[in-house]
Amino acid sequence: MTGRHPRSLLQITDLDEAGFLRLLDAAVLLKLQKSAGVEVPLLQGKDIALVFEKSSTRTRCAFEVAAHDQGASVTYLGPEGSHIGREESIRDTARVLGRMFDGIEFRGFAQETVEELADHAGVPVWNGLTDQWHPTQALADVMTMREFHPGPLQDISFCFVGDVHNNVARSLLVTGALLGMDVRLAGPKALWPAPEVVQTAHRLAEVSGARILLTEDVTAAVEGAAFVHTDVWVSMGEPQESWDERVPLLTPYRVTADLLRATGRADTRFMHCLPSVHDTRTELGRRVQQRFGLEGAEVSDEVFESSSSIVFDQAENRLHTIKALLVDALGQ
Ligand code: CP
Ligand code: NVA
C-alpha cells in the first residue's frame, strides 16, 4: 500500500467547500486564458494515463485536450486491450501505472475499483465516472450554473428530475449540499438515493446552510428552480431490460416545456450531462421509440433544442474544470 495521494478526486466529499471553489475559480481563469490565446502550459513533461472500462466522449476528450493544452501527454487504455482486471489485478496495475505516470484518470463500474487504484498508485487518481459518483461532472455543472446565475452560489436553486439515484444525481446532491445551494431531487421513491448518501447531504447542509428536498412531487420540486437537470433513465452498466421498468416509472418526470413552465420562471435553464435520449437520431433513441412509442425519453426534443437549454455550455466546461483539476494536482 503506497497510500492515497491527497490530490486524488474519487468522490465529491474528497473536496471541502474551499477546495471546490478554488477549482472553479481556476477553471474560470483557464477558460479566459484559452479564449484569449494566452494560456501558460504548466504540465510540460507530465504523463497522464486515461483508463476507461466504459465508453466516453466528453470525459476522455476533456482530459486529452486539457493535457495537450497544458503541455502534458496522455495514454488511453480503453475497455479492451490492457490487462487491467483480467490478467492483472487492480493493485498490480496501479503500482505499474504509478511508476510510469504522474496521474491516472479512471472511468469504470465499481467505486471500489477506483479506490483500490488510488490506494496503490501513489500518484493522483481522478474518478471520471463510476456507477456511484461522477465528481468531475459536478465541477462543470456548478461552473455552468454560476456562469448563468452570477452571484453567491447560496442563491442558486436547482432541481434534478428523473433517476435520482444515479451517479450524476448523487454527485449533484452532495455538491449542492457542500456549497450551500437550494437542491431539489424529484423522482419515484423506488429510485431514490441510498439513505447514507442522503444522510451525507444533510450532514453537509447543516454546516453550509444548504436546503435539500427529496420528493416524488415533481411539480412542487421545480417551483422557482433556476436550473432543471436530468440524465438518462438507464445508465451505463445497468441492464438494457431496465428500460421496461424505468419508462413507466420515469415518464412523469420527463422534462417537457410544461415542466419548465411549472418552475414559474421564464429564465429557468435546462441542463444535462449528456449523452441524452431526446430524439431518434441515435440507435438508442430509435429503440426507445419502437418499443415505447416515445420520441425522446428523459427530455423532449423541444426542450433540448430550446433557448433554455445550456447543455453544450455545460459540456464545454468539462474541459476547463478537468484542466483545473490537472493543473491543481500536477502544475509546476
Ligand atoms: N457527461 C459525460 O461524462 O460524458 P461522456 O460519457 O461522453 O464522457
Ligand atoms: N448516468 C450516466 C451518465 C453518463 C455521463 C451513466 O452513468 O451512464
Side-chain angles (χ1 to χ4, degrees), residues 247-324:
V247 168
L249 262 180
L250 289 171
T251 298
Y253 298 91
R254 178 177 157 85
V255 181
T256 59
D258 280 345
L259 187 71
L260 282 194
R261 271 191 289 277
T263 63
R265 306 171 58 137
D267 63 348
T268 298
R269 307 288 186 157
F270 170 69
M271 298 182 69
H272 192 310
C273 63
L274 305 180
S276 157
V277 183
H278 63 93
D279 61 16
T280 51
R281 290 189 177 89
T282 61
E283 276 175 34
L284 177 57
R286 286 190 287 277
R287 277 211 307 278
V288 166
Q289 186 196 37
Q290 278 156 17
R291 191 159 174 78
F292 306 104
L294 277 178
E295 182 98 12
E298 71 273 6
V299 56
S300 70
D301 198 43
E302 183 188 8
V303 167
F304 187 92
E305 296 293 352
S306 72
S307 56
S308 304
S309 173
I310 55 171
V311 296
F312 297 108
D313 299 278
Q314 188 182 358
E316 181 195 325
N317 284 338
R318 299 297 308 288
L319 167 63
H320 309 298
T321 43
I322 282 172
K323 190 184 285 177

Side-chain angles (χ1 to χ4, degrees), residues 4-16 19-20 23 63 104-106 111 114-115 118 123-130 133-139 321-322 325-326 328-329:
R4 216 172 266 182
H5 192 286
R7 284 287 192 256
S8 292
L9 178 61
L10 307 184
Q11 55 178 308
I12 299 299
T13 48
D14 289 342
L15 293 170
D16 59 14
F20 198 108
L23 288 173
F63 271 96
I104 304 167
E105 180 276 355
F106 176 84
Q111 180 70 16
V114 75
E115 288 174 1
V123 296
V125 171
W126 306 288
N127 178 356
L129 178 148
T130 59
W133 300 109
H134 199 0
T136 65
Q137 181 69 50
L139 283 167
T321 43
I322 282 172
L325 192 62
L326 297 183
D328 186 63

Side-chain angles (χ1 to χ4, degrees), residues 168-225:
V168 170
R170 291 162 43 122
S171 300
L172 273 170
L173 168 63
V174 174
T175 297
L178 178 72
L179 301 178
M181 300 171 80
D182 177 346
V183 187
R184 301 100 177 265
L185 260 54
K189 236 178 205 155
L191 295 175
W192 280 9
E196 62 269 20
V197 175
V198 180
Q199 277 160 18
T200 298
H202 280 293
R203 191 172 40 75
L204 291 167
E206 275 172 27
V207 178
S208 70
R211 290 126 293 163
I212 291 174
L213 175 69
L214 175 59
T215 178
E216 291 196 300
D217 184 345
V218 66
T219 313
V222 298
E223 194 188 339

